[in-house]
Amino acid sequence: MDSLDNATVVITGASSGMGLATALAFARRGANLVLAARRQTPLERAAQECEALGGRAIAIPTDVADAAGMRELAQRAVTTFGQIDIWINNAGMSLWGPFETIPLESQTRLIEVNLIGVINGCHAAVPHFLQNGGRGMIINMASIGGRVPMPWATTYTASKFAVAGFTDTLRYELATHSAIEVCGVYPAFVDTPTNLHSANYTGRTLRPVPPVVDPKHVAEQIVGLALRPRRAVYVGALHGVVAPFALMPETTGRLVGRLGAQFFLHSGSPAQATDGSLFEPVEEGTGIHGGWGMPERKQAKRTAVAVIVGLAGAWAFAFARRRSATRA
């Protein structure tokens, strides 16, 4: 796509965080915005902010887990702006804690939002793209948790690995009979109000693993993807852990599990278990940034350094053993 001026962009999860930052980034380029989320008041405020920046915007309260609601969202976009050019499946949440202590209904709901919500969005958008000459773009929000397993966020990891696989498969399938682009975005930990929205069964306040990414940076990466489509973009230095995991999955995974237990379960301030906004949206957290983990980031950086040093040491040890075995 050469220009975003007057392009129609549908964004789910647009009332805060990365979704809001992305909506504003597209509005600055003159796009038409169709904003979806469950919270009506902050969603309408987001639409007003987009229009103040030069875009045209409508707010449509929608639950991504509701397939009929997503089809209605697509129809409203077409009715209002004539067509859909870009569909961004951004809505999602995380769920933290020991797998066995998290209620199954909470884990099921997370899958409904993070995975089924993406499927619903694509199923609503693709027919419109095919009717529009087989052109259009889908951008799905995955996560670093869709590239590397994240102990203590097991179901979240499952949902994001599934989104990654679904995104690639749909991309290659649609390429056989259309020009529809399907792209994935893989952010590391992002400074959004996710600590207020996420389900938390760790017994501690949720803290991000640094370096934490600015949601505005993620938004600009998404805009860049819209202008120059490609399979995926990886956002954040934490993606550096992908290489050691690929080389030594067992060693890396076990080390991350042990360090994660200390970081998520045994440090930080005590906190009550909560489902966050899994089942019902919370009033708090309507901005782009959440100031997530600011008081603890110095300690978190030390933990990150320990992870990197530990992985480097484990890799060096494994490499030395392989080299010794080869010589023998």
Side-chain angles (χ1 to χ4, degrees):
M1 183 173 289
D2 296 327
S3 172
L4 297 172
D5 188 43
N6 210 37
T8 298
V9 184
V10 178
I11 305 175
T12 67
S15 62
S16 66
M18 290 183 288
L20 176 57
T22 301
L24 298 178
F26 276 99
R28 292 187 188 95
R29 275 96 172 165
N32 304 318
L33 282 307
V34 181
L35 308 182
R38 290 177 297 170
R39 298 181 295 178
Q40 182 167 354
T41 299
L43 196 62
E44 291 175 346
R45 188 183 309 126
Q48 292 169 2
E49 291 182 45
C50 287
E51 293 193 333
L53 291 172
R56 298 167 61 200
I58 58 172
I60 305 175
T62 309
D63 185 339
V64 297
D66 177 5
M70 293 293 272
R71 289 193 295 270
E72 175 63 21
L73 175 65
Q75 189 56 53
R76 288 281 302 277
V78 172
T79 300
T80 304
F81 295 116
Q83 67 180 44
I84 303 169
D85 297 292
I86 302 169
W87 185 290
I88 303 174
N89 288 306
N90 166 76
M93 288 174 281
S94 57
L95 173 60
W96 298 88
F99 168 76
E100 67 277 8
T101 68
I102 302 173
L104 279 176
E105 56 268 25
S106 299
Q107 303 196 45
T108 299
R109 173 62 179 170
L110 187 82
I111 295 296
E112 289 176 348
V113 174
N114 286 9
L115 174 59
I116 303 303
V118 169
I119 294 173
N120 287 342
C122 292
H123 207 263
V126 168
H128 289 278
F129 290 152
L130 292 174
Q131 293 167 13
N132 191 37
R135 296 188 176 277
M137 183 181 304
I138 294 170
I139 299 176
N140 291 335
M141 186 62 68
S143 165
I144 189 173
R147 302 186 76 201
V148 178
M150 299 177 65
W152 317 109
T154 300
T155 303
Y156 174 80
T157 295
S159 72
K160 292 303 184 178
F161 263 82
V163 168
F166 172 82
T167 299
D168 282 347
T169 304
L170 184 62
R171 175 182 179 84
Y172 303 139
E173 178 179 324
L174 291 176
T176 66
H177 59 280
S178 77
I180 300 171
E181 295 282 357
V182 184
C183 315
V185 179
Y186 295 75
F189 288 77
V190 184
D191 179 18
T192 67
T194 187
N195 57 315
L196 300 173
H197 299 165
S198 295
N200 179 13
Y201 279 80
T202 65
R204 303 284 178 172
T205 55
L206 284 179
R207 299 176 301 147
V209 177
V212 180
V213 179
D214 190 319
K216 293 182 179 179
H217 178 58
V218 179
E220 290 301 319
Q221 292 292 313
I222 293 173
V223 168
L225 195 58
L227 292 169
R228 188 170 68 87
R230 51 203 183 278
R231 174 180 167 269
V233 291
Y234 308 113
V235 190
L238 278 179
H239 283 278
V241 77
V242 172
F245 180 78
L247 291 169
M248 303 178 302
E250 188 68 14
T251 301
T252 304
R254 289 179 179 272
L255 178 60
V256 170
R258 288 194 296 270
L259 291 170
Q262 179 61 37
F263 185 79
F264 293 114
L265 307 183
H266 303 300
S267 59
S269 305
Q272 294 292 321
T274 175
D275 275 320
S277 58
L278 263 182
F279 298 98
E280 296 292 337
V282 298
E283 294 183 4
E284 298 83 3
T286 59
I288 292 176
H289 299 91
W292 192 27
M294 287 299 291
E296 300 92 352
R297 283 188 186 171
K298 186 177 291 186
Q299 179 180 347
K301 287 179 181 177
R302 289 196 293 268
T303 301
V305 170
V307 171
I308 294 170
V309 171
L311 290 175
W315 183 86
F317 177 72
F319 179 77
R321 287 189 63 182
R322 290 177 183 175
R323 191 173 183 181
S324 176
T326 302
R327 288 178 175 177

